[in-house]
Amino acid sequence: SCSALGCSAKEHDSASRDAGTELPDLWSLDDSSDIEMAEMLTKFRKAADLYASGQLCEASECFEEARARLEHLERGADPKRLDDLRQLESVCANDPSLQALSSEEKIFDQDGPQQMHDLAALEATVNELRTLCNEGCVFDAAAKLAEIERSLQKRQSLCQQQADLTRLSDCTEISTSIRQEPLFAVLRALHGRMQQVLLKLRPLLSPSKEKDKRWSHVHIKDSCISPDFTADIRVRFADASEREKGGQSTQLIMTGQLSGFPLALERFVSVYRETDLYQKEWIADCEKCDGKVGGPESLYSSLSHIVNSSPLLPMSVEMVTVRDLAVCRRAPLSGRKPGVLVMDMSPPGGASEFAGWTLPDHCKKRRCIRLSNFDVILYFVPKEANPTDACDIFAFARIGAPLPQWLVPISLLKKFLASHFISVFKAIKV
């Protein structure tokens, strides 16, 4: 389901450029004075929002209504109106959320009816869903859950039409059980958070341009990790068009690639998520380091709390993040291979609980700031030349800090971030 998020959109973007046109974004379109067009645009936007928040079944319903209305209007449209409708259709086809949603619906239309032919098959599919959750396959599990919910809705509608009260009762019982199962509630919430972060970081997923002078670049080789290990990290301040409204004074964007880390992917990820085992000695200039780890019931989520007092910065930095992972049989990032996605996400400011975790109190130390708007995606893949003993990591991040942007030069920030991540990875290797 998530491969469409990057690949399909990229192909469509390329086709648009080849044609010499640049399609607007779904969210930049003005609401039309035409009431029907405005309502349809609102429906498409709502479908994209619902999908990004993990409400897949509701998103599918809204998307189907919008597409049916679009087809109806096209049938009786004059040439000018038809051009407007087809431009809207092209813009929707270019939206990553609607691309992914459309891809999932095609899979269901091809395979779903046969798999959901009877209640026994449906119950077997629910068991497949639980297996996907236990294996940490978040994107596959979310697609399976949406498939089940759509099937149940269609079966319930058919039973009502046929006045088949026995089967209607069975379907309602299964539907209620699925809605109330805690594991599936965790899945919906986690998938929604991952989709939101992926969409937010999507502009960073393409390779950085060498001529883009906004980036501050650091290249690292460390023979203590491995003779073949290299890290390329780029950091810059978010520009005016990228800044989050109401966000922190300083907003940073970071991308990076670590190549040839000498540890098998499975081992690296399993250690990286075990935040309860971390020691402050592992992290450069760390004053405090603790964490908690969840099990299958939380889809292997963990909580990380770090206080760092680097001499490179004029203040101490506190980082509180919830760490989640997803085993990806199909890469959710364009141009990548199957691997494991690890997401670090900071709680909203002022929150005492987030994603099922009770959060630690703020650090009482003077001149200590807690980072917020902290969204990090690390994507781990086996190294092609040595897949059983080494891996590559791709990193994308947005970070906010409550301090004036002029106070800390970007050259110091890149050194701090590079030192932080490399020290953690070096300790994991040992």
Side-chain angles (χ1 to χ4, degrees):
S1 62
C2 286
S3 58
L5 185 66
C7 298
S8 298
K10 181 178 179 181
E11 291 167 1
H12 191 92
D13 287 343
S14 176
S16 298
R17 285 193 297 272
D18 292 343
T21 60
E22 187 68 29
L23 286 171
D25 185 84
L26 178 63
W27 309 99
S28 67
L29 291 179
D30 293 330
D31 288 336
S32 173
S33 57
D34 183 321
I35 294 176
E36 289 181 320
M37 286 283 286
E39 289 179 347
M40 189 164 50
L41 178 58
T42 300
K43 282 270 187 194
F44 278 120
R45 285 174 174 166
K46 183 179 179 182
D49 275 338
L50 288 168
Y51 182 80
S53 65
Q55 301 177 66
L56 305 187
C57 192
E58 295 84 349
S60 178
E61 288 182 4
C62 192
F63 190 40
E64 287 181 1
E65 289 177 12
R67 287 196 301 189
R69 188 61 183 158
L70 179 63
E71 292 172 1
H72 174 75
L73 292 177
E74 283 180 340
R75 284 196 289 270
D78 58 47
K80 183 180 183 308
R81 186 176 177 83
L82 187 60
D83 285 343
D84 292 339
L85 291 168
R86 286 181 175 168
Q87 184 192 30
L88 175 60
E89 188 175 14
S90 296
V91 171
C92 291
N94 193 50
D95 181 78
S97 289
L98 298 184
Q99 279 276 1
L101 181 56
S102 179
S103 176
E104 289 184 4
E105 288 204 327
K106 288 177 182 177
I107 293 172
F108 173 77
D109 289 340
Q110 293 169 0
D111 302 330
Q114 289 78 16
Q115 295 174 351
M116 305 298 177
H117 183 69
D118 55 37
L119 289 178
L122 179 58
E123 290 174 352
T125 305
V126 174
N127 288 331
E128 291 177 17
L129 170 58
R130 293 192 179 95
T131 298
L132 288 170
C133 289
N134 288 332
E135 293 174 348
C137 301
V138 173
F139 295 107
D140 290 335
K144 182 69 69 176
L145 177 58
E147 173 188 314
I148 292 170
E149 290 178 332
R150 287 197 298 268
S151 175
L152 280 167
Q153 287 189 344
K154 291 178 180 180
R155 288 184 63 84
Q156 286 174 309
S157 177
L158 181 62
C159 289
Q160 287 174 339
Q161 294 172 12
Q162 297 176 346
D164 188 340
L165 299 183
T166 300
R167 287 185 176 272
L168 177 60
S169 176
D170 291 339
C171 288
T172 301
E173 183 178 347
I174 295 174
S175 180
T176 301
S177 174
I178 289 172
R179 284 198 306 271
Q180 294 178 349
E181 185 158 341
L183 178 62
F184 299 155
V186 171
L187 172 63
R188 292 187 188 93
L190 173 55
H191 181 254
R193 292 198 303 275
M194 284 188 167
Q195 288 287 14
Q196 287 175 342
V197 172
L198 282 171
L199 290 174
K200 189 187 298 183
L201 297 181
R202 184 172 178 259
L204 308 179
L205 302 186
S206 58
S208 302
K209 295 182 179 179
E210 294 293 334
K211 296 181 179 180
D212 190 340
K213 301 300 183 183
R214 295 177 300 170
W215 293 100
S216 182
H217 174 244
V218 58
H219 180 78
I220 299 170
K221 288 188 175 183
D222 194 326
S223 58
C224 293
I225 296 177
S226 168
D228 300 323
F229 173 79
T230 61
D232 285 285
I233 298 174
R234 296 173 184 266
V235 183
R236 64 176 174 83
F237 293 116
D239 61 32
S241 65
E242 297 167 326
R243 291 180 62 86
E244 292 189 11
K245 293 181 180 179
Q248 299 291 356
S249 304
T250 294
Q251 297 185 26
L252 295 167
I253 293 174
M254 182 184 80
T255 68
Q257 179 171 343
L258 284 71
S259 177
F261 193 90
L263 203 63
L265 183 150
E266 297 85 355
R267 175 64 178 162
F268 196 163
V269 172
S270 66
V271 175
Y272 191 63
R273 70 170 288 272
E274 296 285 350
T275 56
D276 58 331
L277 301 180
Y278 280 34
Q279 304 294 321
K280 66 179 183 179
E281 292 77 17
W282 292 12
I283 304 170
D285 307 306
C286 182
E287 288 192 3
K288 182 176 182 178
C289 177
D290 53 41
K292 300 176 182 178
V293 176
E297 74 288 345
S298 65
L299 295 178
Y300 309 102
S301 177
S302 58
L303 179 71
S304 173
H305 181 207
I306 295 171
V307 177
N308 192 295
S309 296
S310 171
L312 296 172
L313 302 179
M315 78 293 291
S316 297
V317 173
E318 182 181 25
M319 292 175 277
V320 177
T321 58
V322 171
R323 182 168 297 167
D324 293 295
L325 64 86
V327 176
C328 302
R329 297 172 177 175
R330 292 174 293 174
L333 306 180
S334 177
R336 308 300 181 195
K337 298 178 180 179
V340 177
L341 184 147
V342 177
M343 178 181 76
D344 274 25
M345 190 176 191
S346 64
S352 59
E353 294 185 359
F354 179 66
W357 293 103
T358 299
L359 304 178
D361 294 333
H362 279 253
C363 177
K364 304 299 182 184
K365 183 178 179 179
R366 285 190 60 202
R367 297 178 62 80
C368 182
I369 62 169
R370 177 176 285 192
L371 299 182
S372 62
N373 302 112
F374 191 101
D375 299 321
V376 180
I377 291 290
L378 298 177
Y379 192 64
F380 297 77
V381 297
K383 185 165 183 62
E384 189 170 354
N386 187 13
T388 58
D389 297 314
C391 61
D392 296 334
I393 305 106
F394 304 93
F396 313 92
R398 290 186 65 105
I399 304 169
L403 74 164
Q405 186 168 299
W406 54 263
L407 185 60
V408 183
I410 196 71
S411 58
L412 293 183
L413 288 171
K414 76 174 181 183
K415 290 179 181 178
F416 165 72
L417 291 169
S419 173
H420 174 80
F421 284 107
I422 295 300
S423 62
V424 172
F425 291 161
K426 187 182 294 186
I428 289 174
K429 186 253 181 180
V430 175

